[in-house]
Amino acid sequence: MLIKFPKDSYDTHWTSHVKKKMAFYGLSEQRIKGVIRNPKRKEDGVAPETVAVMQRNDKPKKNEEIWVMYAKRKSNIKDQKSKLSRTIMISAWRYPGISKKRDGVPMPDGVMEELEKFLKA
């Protein structure tokens, strides 16, 4: 199966981490944007100034959630209005079952190390 990766636009930036996760979990750009537009739950992300949103994706024999972590930043594009914000897509994943509502977000192993590397860059 070929994966069509999303391209950056003036209002959205896709990190390489989220592109890898999209390929691994079989998530499309439209699915991720749909989770952000219509989340069932919204929590603070594990990284500072990030948001994690979730949408249920239940099937008859399988319960799961789709999580997306993103950040909003002011756009640094000079020819656009300075009031524009840019969404930085950080990570996306499928969580099997039903997660409990809590302060943090359930994340697969290794994501935190990659996130810290990204934030330092």
Side-chain angles (χ1 to χ4, degrees):
M1 180 170 103
L2 294 175
I3 306 246
K4 182 180 176 190
F5 289 117
K7 296 189 174 159
D8 290 352
S9 64
Y10 70 94
D11 64 343
T12 308
H13 172 72
W14 298 85
T15 61
S16 61
H17 178 79
V18 76
K19 290 177 184 179
K20 290 176 192 173
K21 294 300 179 180
M22 288 170 65
F24 183 80
Y25 290 111
L27 298 170
S28 67
E29 174 183 2
Q30 289 304 98
R31 183 66 169 136
I32 290 175
K33 286 183 175 181
V35 172
I36 291 173
R37 271 193 302 271
N38 188 22
K40 298 296 180 198
R41 193 162 84 208
K42 186 175 185 178
E43 297 182 358
D44 291 334
V46 294
E49 300 178 19
T50 61
V51 176
V53 291
M54 179 274 294
Q55 196 175 67
R56 301 282 314 149
N57 189 36
D58 293 334
K59 303 218 171 21
K61 292 187 177 183
K62 180 168 78 170
N63 293 332
E64 69 178 8
E65 300 171 343
I66 297 176
W67 283 90
V68 178
M69 186 166 63
Y70 66 95
K72 288 279 193 180
R73 301 278 191 258
K74 277 191 173 181
S75 180
N76 57 1
I77 300 172
K78 302 206 188 249
D79 53 340
Q80 300 293 331
K81 294 180 182 177
S82 62
K83 294 181 182 178
L84 288 178
S85 64
R86 192 167 196 198
T87 304
I88 300 172
M89 302 295 183
I90 298 171
S91 189
W93 64 95
R94 291 180 189 267
Y95 186 81
I98 300 171
S99 64
K100 296 177 184 175
K101 190 171 184 175
R102 55 185 117 180
D103 295 335
V105 178
M107 292 185 73
D109 297 333
V111 172
M112 194 58 174
E113 293 86 25
E114 290 185 40
L115 181 61
E116 288 172 356
K117 288 178 189 175
F118 171 74
L119 290 175
K120 288 179 183 177

